[in-house]
Amino acid sequence: MSTRTLEWIVERVLLLCALLSVLTTAGIIGVLAVETFAFLRVVPVLDFLTGTEWTPLFSSQKFGVLPLIAGTMLVSAIAMVVALPMGLLSAVYLSEYAPNNLRRVVKPILEILAGVPTVVYGYFALTFVTPMLQQVFPTLSGFNALSPGLVMGLMIMPLVSSLSEDAMQAVPRGLREGSYALGATRMQTALKVVVPAAFSGITAAFILAVSRAIGETMIVAIAAGQQPRLTGNPFVPIETMTAYIVQVSLGDTPQGTIEYRTIFAVGMLLFVMTFGLNLISTWLRERFREEYA
Amino acid sequence: MNVERRRPVPASLAGVTTSRRGQSPAAFDAPVKVAVDGLNFYYGTKRALDGISIQIRSNLVTALIGPSGCGKSTFLRTLNRMNDIIPDTRVEGTVLIDDQSIYESRVDVVQLRRRVGMVFQKSNPFPKSIFENVAYGLRINGLVKTRAELEGRVEESLQQAAIWEEVKDRLQESALALSGGQQQRLCIARALAIRPEILLMDEPASALDPIATQRIEELIYELKKKYTIVIVTHNMQQAARVSDQTAFFWLGRLVEFDRTDKIFTAPAEKLTEDYVTGRCG
Ligand SMILES: Nc1ncnc2c1ncn2[C@@H]1O[C@H](COP(=O)(O)OP(=O)(O)OP(=O)(O)O)[C@@H](O)[C@H]1O
Ligand SMILES: [Mg+2]
């Protein structure tokens, strides 16, 4: 076989692989859309989006998705309270304080942490963090939003840290020197020059983190409970959108029923939310690239 | 340094010194502001400065000239310890400012840099508003108490840097929207705002057009009444116009240091003459 024929074959195979992933994504979106339409023919979209009760699996079916959204928001908010400040501070440390060789060691470790299977974090929340928190808060239920929220925050922190650090490293050294030359300390330089200059990159990291929290499934499915509840109380069992999808997928709900279709509608909502956030994040990062190109 | 050995004035430079704008007679016996002795500097194992000894006097403008890569910027940056932030570098020798060694461990680097201002080779305004760029140094050093005082100092600095008229109506706009020459003058204003004693300028006019360059030269001339200025330049005419003393660097060494008119009309070293007349480097 001539090298040209070989090149031709390799090229086609690679193209096929690329097409396959595009087609898969398109297929998923297609199925989501079709099933969601079928669902919305039975349940009016306004009832779905504004209803405050979610009981599709009970005999008195209610299809208000707000309790699931509230559960997702509550856990994500707790996770962000942990992940954003800690991630940003560790990024400031890594980028502005840590000696080069420490950074070279710590960054890969952070990235490994981000690769731990989330089911491990889920059981960590359920069997370690929740009992520990119950020592402090005796009213805390065995399933709750607090514990998975905190653990999810720990899980997402490395992502925030790593992406924010990249953004801060992209700030030209000249800006730091300009600040030092005016008698600024390291802390002042980091917080008043480097972080603002890396602002859009850091914001992009934050948004990606939020989108990650919203989409996170295993931790909440294991440790948050399965009780859709419109509440801001982090001590009681709740259910998130993702956990609900797991619940129905694993149960014996027959295909084609309205109960079954709920998971596609919820899935669609989830997809739209995270997709929107990822778009904003990508756009911000592009903008940042232009600023210091 | 052998100043006795006169050479005929090179023709190409005959006009240079006479073009100096009627400078006040420089006080060459002014007190020594910066005394450098036996200074070596290393990037890793690479030696960038080799046994530099020089005395820089108060309220004079000292020009540093020499071919690219000879260590002018490196030398300048040893005077406010800006090289400290480059990893894996080493300094030997002494640098005294007002008779105080600046490389002792008890020296507060932040204090030092407040006294020794710097304008960089590449202009580096912060991505903030024009006003905030100048206010930054005042704020972080706690030099002003009231908003009115802050605004006063910002205006005064912009005036001094000869950019006030161009920016007074757009102080809240981003500094990045300014032209290169305006950015460089903004950086000068920023450095002046905290009223340093010594001003280090690394090729402040390298990216500027002749008019902006002239403004900066006039500015330097104005500033030397208050400050001790060290300026790096690749432009021989500029060195001749603005400086009182000139130091010629070559491969990390200080070849010759003397009054500017001597360096340009009767240099002691053959190397200096070749360089200032453009025969090498
Ligand atoms: N950060 C650095 N790391 C390693 N070597 C450096 C660094 N900065 C400068 N050097 C080296 O030190 C020497 C002196 O550099 P320096 O920047 O002081 O020269 P310069 O006289 O200012 O040149 P130019 O006129 O081009 O600005 C050069 O050989 C340069 O390659
Ligand atoms: Mg230089």
Side-chain angles (χ1 to χ4, degrees):
Chain A
M1 212 178 342
S2 76
T3 38
R4 264 185 61 197
T5 338
L6 200 66
E7 275 292 305
W8 189 88
I9 292 173
V10 168
E11 197 186 315
R12 295 304 124 136
V13 170
L14 290 179
L15 179 70
L16 207 69
C17 295
L19 278 181
L20 204 64
S21 70
V22 172
L23 285 178
T24 318
T25 313
I28 292 172
I29 296 175
V31 170
L32 270 182
V34 167
E35 295 283 342
T36 304
F37 265 117
F39 172 80
L40 290 178
R41 267 211 302 274
V42 182
V43 181
V45 67
L46 213 63
D47 290 3
F48 174 58
L49 289 179
T50 61
T52 57
E53 276 182 276
W54 182 257
T55 55
L57 306 179
F58 295 177
S59 48
S60 67
Q61 288 182 319
K62 294 263 174 57
F63 297 100
V65 78
L66 281 184
L68 293 185
I69 295 184
T72 295
M73 290 300 169
L74 182 59
V75 177
S76 304
I78 295 169
M80 290 305 110
V81 167
V82 176
L84 301 189
M86 277 177 63
L88 183 60
L89 287 181
S90 84
V92 167
Y93 174 75
L94 281 180
S95 164
E96 305 302 307
Y97 286 82
N100 271 339
N101 35 10
L102 181 68
R103 176 165 56 233
R104 271 196 292 273
V105 176
V106 172
K107 262 210 107 169
I109 293 181
L110 282 180
E111 268 142 34
I112 289 171
L113 268 182
V116 173
T118 55
V119 63
V120 175
Y121 285 102
Y123 280 100
F124 176 64
L126 182 67
T127 62
F128 181 74
V129 178
T130 299
M132 212 173 64
L133 287 172
Q134 278 169 332
Q135 309 278 318
V136 190
F137 308 109
T139 57
L140 188 71
S141 313
F143 294 106
N144 57 72
L146 184 61
S147 162
L150 294 178
V151 171
M152 196 193 288
L154 283 181
M155 183 193 81
I156 292 175
M157 191 205 93
L159 174 84
V160 176
S161 172
S162 184
L163 289 179
S164 303
E165 203 252 351
D166 289 344
M168 287 161 71
Q169 283 293 307
V171 173
R173 198 179 74 194
L175 283 188
R176 294 183 178 84
E177 292 188 343
S179 172
Y180 287 128
L182 292 167
T185 61
R186 256 176 202 238
M187 191 47 108
Q188 288 167 329
T189 303
L191 296 185
K192 298 190 175 176
V193 173
V194 180
V195 169
F199 184 74
S200 43
I202 292 172
T203 313
F206 281 12
I207 293 177
L208 211 60
V210 174
S211 132
R212 187 71 204 280
I214 291 175
E216 169 49 38
T217 309
M218 271 335 262
I219 301 179
V220 281
I222 292 170
Q226 298 189 337
Q227 299 182 22
R229 195 193 302 256
L230 190 56
T231 178
N233 181 356
F235 286 10
V236 296
I238 49 119
E239 184 160 47
T240 66
M241 303 199 278
T242 49
Y244 172 76
I245 295 176
V246 172
Q247 183 193 355
V248 175
S249 311
L250 296 181
D252 46 12
T253 316
Q255 280 195 25
T257 59
I258 186 75
E259 299 92 285
Y260 189 75
R261 290 211 163 107
T262 54
I263 64 173
F264 292 98
V266 172
M268 188 69 173
L269 199 57
L270 205 54
F271 173 76
V272 169
M273 283 166 75
T274 51
F275 186 69
L277 285 171
N278 286 354
L279 276 188
I280 296 173
S281 169
T282 311
W283 177 75
L284 279 173
R285 250 179 311 169
E286 287 300 319
R287 226 196 79 181
F288 181 68
R289 206 164 292 146
E290 281 165 26
E291 263 169 40
Y292 288 111
Chain B
M1 239 169 281
N2 178 6
V3 284
E4 303 306 315
R5 212 172 75 216
R6 300 265 162 173
R7 285 169 199 282
V9 178
S12 64
L13 278 161
V16 167
T17 44
T18 53
S19 73
R20 301 174 80 190
R21 269 171 241 113
Q23 239 154 310
S24 57
F28 290 105
D29 52 356
V32 173
K33 186 75 180 168
V34 185
V36 179
D37 193 33
L39 182 74
N40 297 328
F41 187 87
Y42 303 85
Y43 291 107
T45 54
K46 181 181 181 303
R47 180 185 260 197
L49 294 176
D50 187 355
I52 308 288
S53 298
I54 189 171
Q55 298 196 326
I56 294 167
R57 291 176 187 275
S58 283
N59 298 81
L60 290 189
V61 177
T62 303
L64 309 181
I65 61 171
S68 190
C70 68
K72 305 179 296 294
S73 296
T74 304
F75 173 70
L76 205 63
R77 294 161 57 95
T78 57
L79 302 183
N80 64 347
R81 293 185 55 174
M82 195 50 74
N83 286 325
D84 287 17
I85 62 176
I86 301 177
D88 201 20
T89 57
R90 196 155 54 86
V91 190
E92 291 166 356
T94 56
V95 178
L96 308 181
I97 293 184
D98 291 336
D99 296 326
Q100 297 284 316
S101 169
I102 63 167
Y103 277 99
E104 263 161 42
S105 53
R106 62 183 165 79
V107 169
D108 179 355
V109 186
V110 167
Q111 281 292 333
L112 169 73
R113 292 187 186 140
R114 200 188 286 174
R115 290 170 59 204
V116 187
M118 183 161 206
V119 177
F120 293 82
Q121 186 161 357
K122 201 163 161 266
S123 74
N124 53 354
F126 303 129
K128 300 175 187 286
S129 72
I130 293 168
F131 183 89
E132 284 304 322
N133 262 275
V134 185
Y136 181 79
L138 296 168
R139 285 197 216 270
I140 57 167
N141 291 301
L143 296 179
V144 287
K145 287 184 194 67
T146 64
R147 177 81 195 176
E149 205 181 339
L150 177 69
E151 285 172 2
R153 287 278 285 266
V154 169
E155 173 173 349
E156 176 195 301
S157 314
L158 290 167
Q159 296 264 21
Q160 279 187 317
I163 188 180
W164 171 250
E165 287 305 321
E166 289 153 73
V167 300
K168 65 180 176 196
D169 299 321
R170 46 192 287 211
L171 292 176
Q172 298 311 323
E173 280 176 36
S174 168
L176 301 182
L178 296 173
S179 75
Q182 289 171 328
Q183 289 188 5
Q184 191 60 289
R185 275 178 288 150
L186 180 67
C187 291
I188 295 175
R190 189 171 78 179
L192 295 177
I194 59 171
R195 295 185 183 152
E197 298 160 28
I198 301 170
L199 190 59
L200 310 173
M201 305 176 100
D202 199 346
E203 296 187 46
S206 63
L208 306 187
D209 68 43
I211 293 172
T213 304
Q214 191 185 341
R215 302 195 67 161
I216 290 199
E217 289 180 12
E218 282 162 3
L219 173 68
I220 291 168
Y221 189 63
E222 206 44 46
L223 291 175
K224 79 171 193 175
K225 291 173 190 155
K226 287 191 188 156
Y227 304 92
T228 302
I229 297 176
V230 185
I231 176 173
V232 173
T233 178
H234 274 290
N235 181 328
M236 294 305 113
Q237 274 74 23
Q238 183 171 65
R241 281 194 300 264
V242 302
S243 71
D244 304 302
Q245 298 193 288
T246 296
F248 171 57
F249 283 72
W250 179 269
L251 299 177
R253 287 170 209 261
L254 177 62
V255 174
E256 188 166 354
F257 175 52
D258 211 326
R259 295 168 57 143
T260 297
D261 48 1
K262 288 243 180 62
I263 294 280
F264 283 97
T265 55
E269 302 289 329
K270 173 89 169 68
L271 209 52
T272 313
E273 183 184 323
D274 288 350
Y275 183 72
V276 298
T277 54
R279 271 200 285 268
C280 71

